[in-house]
Amino acid sequence: MRRSLQFLLPGLLVLLLGACAGTPVRGTGDLGLVIERASGHVTLVNTSSRSAYARVGGLGDLSHASVVYSRDARYAFVFGRDGGLTKVDLLEARIVTRVMQSGNAIGGAISQDGRIVVAQNYTPGGIKAFDADTLELLSEVPAEYAPGQFSKVVGLADVPGNRFAYALFDGGEIWVSDFSDPKRPVTKRYPAGLQPYDGLVTPDGRHYLAGLFGEDGIALLDLWQPEKGSRKILENYGRGEEKLPVFKMPHLRGWSVAAGRAWLPAIGRHEVLVADATTWKETGRVAVKGQPVFVMASPDGRQIWVNFAFPDNGWVQVIDTLTAKVVQTLQPGKAVLHMEFTPRGEAVWVSARDDNRVVIYDTRTFQTLGSFAAEAPSGIFFSSRAARIGL
Amino acid sequence: MSNSTAIVSVLTALLGFPALPAAAEPSPARQKELIHLVRQDCGSCHGMTLQGGLGPALLPANLADKPAESLVATIVHGRPGTPMPPWHRFLAEDEAQWIVAKLMAGFPK
């Protein structure tokens, strides 16, 4: 009798606790959110039931927003255009904390140990570090690349060692700030090139790449051997040909290393550039329907999904990484802004801003699995990002 | 648009010739399209609320000291050396004039 009570008690406690919280105990591994850019809302979504389950408002100007997740994958940190940083609880579907941290922001990242959230800002140019629990300001690094000259910061990515790599659009440099002591960051500077517009870190956290707008090429920094300095790869990929006008800056953030190669948007060209991810030499190009914005690899690296800048933003194309050929062309809706793979990549969610819809595709058959309404949806961010370097 | 007209409009812009010729107002349906274009597509760089992003802010206070004609030329022909592209494939010059007038007065939602 005593023995059976010992077994029963913990079970009863769990039941009681569950009842107190009012909601069943659950994990967050299949949850995420969709930014509704025009109204300052986020719609919370479930990738198992393929549906929305809640909507949270009051996040300010989300017309350019990005999201990182706490390492327990419960909290989303939403970086808004107006400098708002909002911590959203996916389980309780509410805002936990919100601070206005700058005048004009472009995104953020979370440290390897999950304790520091860093925002990247256009105005005033620089980065700011916050305690991930309280959103209390810990320190900042102004992007003062020359006396009195501040740069817009782009391409912020977390890299191992509680460091953050980012690029200076006006300063033409890559900076790496070490937050081992969160209140006293130490920054190292490397040359990048003309007008870096975005950056990414490879999924292993080793290489930081900054795409250049002002010249044909990509700046590369080996974070395992930073003492060797940065270098340029894919130089002169335009071969002196005149660039097409660029109606939207590409975004590099995404897992664009797949099948041993890096897949990158060409600026001002209807092409995806392909480089060997060991030698960083160009191995080919894939002609696509427009100027790529997102070039995203599926979690297994078998497919690359590409969306395009205005006026070709109604299309999405899929490249097979084995053959480096376009294998599918889709029309998910008007103004496709973003795509996000489910954690293991059986499906991809696509936002169509001007159709006010999110459309879900099967990545094997390319059939539509479902869709739901959202107001001017843009970024889609699943909690599986919590466990990825650079996302 | 030929090169010589482009040069003329850039010159006009540089010289800061003020008064814009009175342009015909776009139709209400076209106005709606232009507002959408400015908020959403110009907004990619200038922000949907036009408070700036990678590109500069386009609020009345930011534009007050700029000659309207040079702003029209910037929209139509772009600004070499910067990411600002030419938009002449998507709008006519008088539509650009309408956009500039609206920007300077406070752009409609």
Side-chain angles (χ1 to χ4, degrees):
Chain A
M1 183 64 204
R2 269 185 76 162
R3 232 182 124 74
S4 59
L5 255 183
Q6 273 175 351
F7 278 107
L8 271 174
L9 268 176
L12 280 171
L13 269 175
V14 167
L15 280 177
L16 280 172
L17 283 173
C20 292
T23 45
V25 173
R26 87 180 305 291
T28 59
D30 58 355
L31 304 184
L33 63 77
V34 177
I35 302 286
E36 294 179 271
R37 70 193 300 267
S39 62
H41 281 76
V42 291
T43 282
L44 308 189
V45 295
N46 179 321
T47 58
S48 298
S49 63
R50 298 187 195 122
S51 62
Y53 68 90
R55 193 162 182 255
V56 180
L59 281 84
D61 181 356
L62 297 183
S63 61
H64 188 290
S66 73
V67 175
V68 296
Y69 282 95
S70 60
R71 68 199 252 132
D72 63 4
R74 173 171 178 174
Y75 300 100
F77 298 94
V78 183
F79 304 89
R81 164 63 91 198
D82 54 4
L85 166 55
T86 312
K87 185 174 177 177
V88 176
D89 184 341
L90 291 184
L91 290 180
E92 295 184 347
R94 66 182 183 93
I95 293 175
V96 182
T97 322
R98 174 171 160 80
V99 295
M100 290 302 289
Q101 59 83 26
S102 80
N104 196 322
I106 184 71
I110 187 162
S111 62
Q112 186 176 33
D113 67 5
R115 293 184 179 187
I116 311 169
V117 172
V118 174
Q120 56 179 339
N121 293 318
Y122 280 167
T123 323
I127 62 169
K128 284 188 178 178
F130 299 87
D131 182 299
D133 282 336
T134 62
L135 298 190
E136 179 197 342
L137 180 67
L138 296 170
S139 56
E140 54 187 305
V141 183
E144 190 176 8
Y145 60 97
Q149 304 271 81
F150 293 82
S151 176
K152 298 182 187 86
V153 169
V154 299
L156 177 74
D158 64 287
V159 298
N162 264 22
R163 292 176 299 162
F164 292 86
Y166 47 102
L168 277 60
F169 177 79
D170 311 285
E173 294 181 358
I174 294 169
W175 287 17
V176 181
S177 295
D178 185 334
F179 284 81
S180 298
D181 180 349
K183 296 204 165 170
R184 282 168 211 81
V186 178
T187 300
K188 294 209 169 98
R189 302 167 59 161
Y190 307 89
L194 277 181
Q195 297 172 324
Y197 65 87
D198 199 5
L200 73 87
V201 64
T202 50
D204 57 9
R206 176 170 179 179
H207 294 100
Y208 182 76
L209 281 74
L212 302 174
F213 182 83
E215 58 185 296
D216 288 342
I218 287 161
L220 174 78
L221 179 65
D222 182 348
L223 295 157
W224 289 5
Q225 315 173 79
E227 65 282 359
K228 291 194 169 172
S230 56
R231 64 189 170 104
K232 229 164 268 172
I233 59 167
L234 303 175
E235 270 185 284
N236 303 317
Y237 62 74
R239 301 192 183 103
E241 292 165 37
E242 199 173 336
K243 267 197 283 207
L244 300 169
V246 176
F247 295 105
K248 180 170 178 173
M249 283 286 177
H251 287 57
L252 290 178
R253 183 170 276 219
W255 311 327
S256 61
V257 175
R261 285 171 285 178
W263 306 74
L264 301 158
I267 284 274
R269 305 182 71 83
H270 293 190
E271 286 174 342
V272 170
L273 305 173
V274 192
D276 183 289
T278 311
T279 63
W280 298 103
K281 295 256 188 286
E282 183 178 328
T283 61
R285 293 165 185 224
V286 186
V288 288
K289 227 163 172 23
Q291 295 184 30
V293 174
F294 280 99
V295 177
M296 301 183 95
S298 57
D300 64 356
R302 182 63 200 271
Q303 294 176 342
I304 303 285
W305 286 59
V306 187
N307 74 329
F308 304 101
F310 175 87
D312 300 309
N313 54 3
W315 302 97
V316 164
Q317 288 192 305
V318 184
I319 299 167
D320 172 51
T321 55
L322 207 53
T323 58
K325 285 199 162 57
V326 171
V327 291
Q328 190 65 230
T329 299
L330 301 165
Q331 281 185 287
K334 279 196 277 184
V336 172
L337 292 190
H338 197 220
M339 303 161 289
E340 177 87 334
F341 292 95
T342 51
R344 298 197 186 193
E346 82 286 354
V348 62
W349 291 37
V350 179
S351 57
R353 181 193 67 203
D354 293 353
D355 278 347
N356 298 305
R357 286 211 86 71
V358 173
V359 185
I360 305 167
Y361 286 97
D362 183 313
T363 52
R364 197 172 51 86
T365 64
F366 304 111
Q367 297 303 305
T368 308
L369 294 172
S371 76
F372 60 91
E375 199 183 329
S378 53
I380 306 172
F381 302 89
F382 296 152
S383 65
S384 46
R385 289 174 173 248
R388 306 294 305 206
I389 292 170
L391 287 185
Chain B
M1 164 102 21
S2 74
N3 273 343
S4 56
T5 30
I7 288 163
V8 167
S9 11
V10 170
L11 277 179
T12 319
L14 285 174
L15 293 170
F17 287 166
L20 288 172
E25 283 250 312
S27 70
R30 181 59 180 159
Q31 288 185 19
K32 217 175 144 199
E33 285 173 11
L34 292 173
I35 291 168
H36 188 267
L37 182 84
V38 170
R39 292 261 170 215
Q40 304 299 333
D41 297 301
C42 306
S44 294
C45 283
H46 297 283
M48 193 179 63
T49 57
L50 307 174
Q51 295 181 65
L54 200 60
L58 300 178
L59 299 173
N62 310 107
L63 304 177
D65 61 343
K66 305 217 168 26
E69 195 62 49
S70 85
L71 296 171
V72 173
T74 296
I75 293 174
V76 175
H77 306 294
R79 282 189 74 181
T82 78
M84 178 68 183
W87 290 87
H88 57 72
R89 265 175 70 198
F90 309 106
L91 42 77
E93 186 142 352
D94 55 356
E95 292 175 332
Q97 286 171 7
W98 182 83
I99 288 171
V100 166
K102 291 291 173 195
L103 285 172
M104 297 186 88
F107 204 74
K109 289 277 173 211

